[in-house]
Amino acid sequence: MPLHLVKLSVGTESVEDLAAWQANRIAQTGEAPRHVTRMWPKREAEILDGGSIYWVIKGQIQARQRIVALEEVDHGDGIRRCAIVLHPVVTRVAPSQKRPFQGWRYLKPEDAPRDLPAQRKNDDSLPPELDAALAEIGVI
């Protein structure tokens, strides 16, 4: 069973902002999107078995991307870092409140927010507070 990660997307204002930032990096580098972190996940096999990274934007888990690889990165300072290589498609999920935290955390599949239905993927974005309230009462 896959295991997921959850991570704050610092400085991101919206899911569209995250997708645009990553598309710009892809255009500049030609590489798949990636997030570099100092910690290497100890549960690597479970993550690579279909796991995703769930992005916290403005205090809510709002999107996810499938994790395709974990690669070692060395900036020449002798510190082993982990590049979490991501699939370029950003998938919206039902908003879920998440308190601030540092680094990343494991996220069990049963605790992960569900993907938004196909008919909602092109909807205009609602304010995060309203989106979360609708999700909480089951309207999404």
Side-chain angles (χ1 to χ4, degrees):
M1 179 174 289
L3 182 66
H4 307 295
L5 299 178
V6 63
K7 174 78 177 95
L8 297 177
S9 185
V10 179
T12 303
E13 297 294 321
S14 66
V15 175
E16 294 79 14
D17 190 28
L18 173 67
W21 183 85
Q22 288 185 356
N24 186 40
R25 294 285 298 163
I26 292 168
Q28 289 176 353
T29 65
E31 296 179 351
R34 60 187 54 225
H35 174 75
V36 178
T37 180
R38 288 185 294 169
M39 300 301 294
W40 195 282
K42 291 178 175 53
R43 299 173 69 180
E44 177 177 359
E46 293 169 271
I47 291 168
L48 295 177
D49 187 27
S52 292
I53 190 165
Y54 282 77
W55 293 109
V56 178
I57 301 169
K58 296 292 203 175
Q60 296 180 320
I61 300 174
Q62 296 188 39
R64 73 172 181 86
Q65 286 178 278
R66 192 168 45 81
I67 298 171
V68 297
L70 300 176
E71 298 177 352
E72 189 168 334
V73 175
D74 184 356
H75 294 297
D77 56 6
I79 298 172
R80 180 182 187 226
R81 292 179 176 85
C82 177
I84 303 168
V85 182
L86 306 168
H87 190 278
V89 174
V90 178
T91 303
R92 287 181 166 276
V93 299
S96 174
Q97 292 293 113
K98 189 71 176 170
R99 292 180 184 263
F101 59 94
Q102 291 185 346
W104 50 262
R105 299 287 184 265
Y106 291 116
L107 181 65
K108 295 183 230 172
E110 61 269 19
D111 296 334
R114 69 189 189 296
D115 291 355
L116 285 179
Q119 64 268 27
R120 289 264 338 257
K121 293 197 190 285
N122 294 324
D123 286 358
D124 290 335
S125 296
L126 295 173
E129 301 80 22
L130 178 58
D131 216 0
L134 291 173
E136 190 171 310
I137 62 172
V139 174
I140 310 183

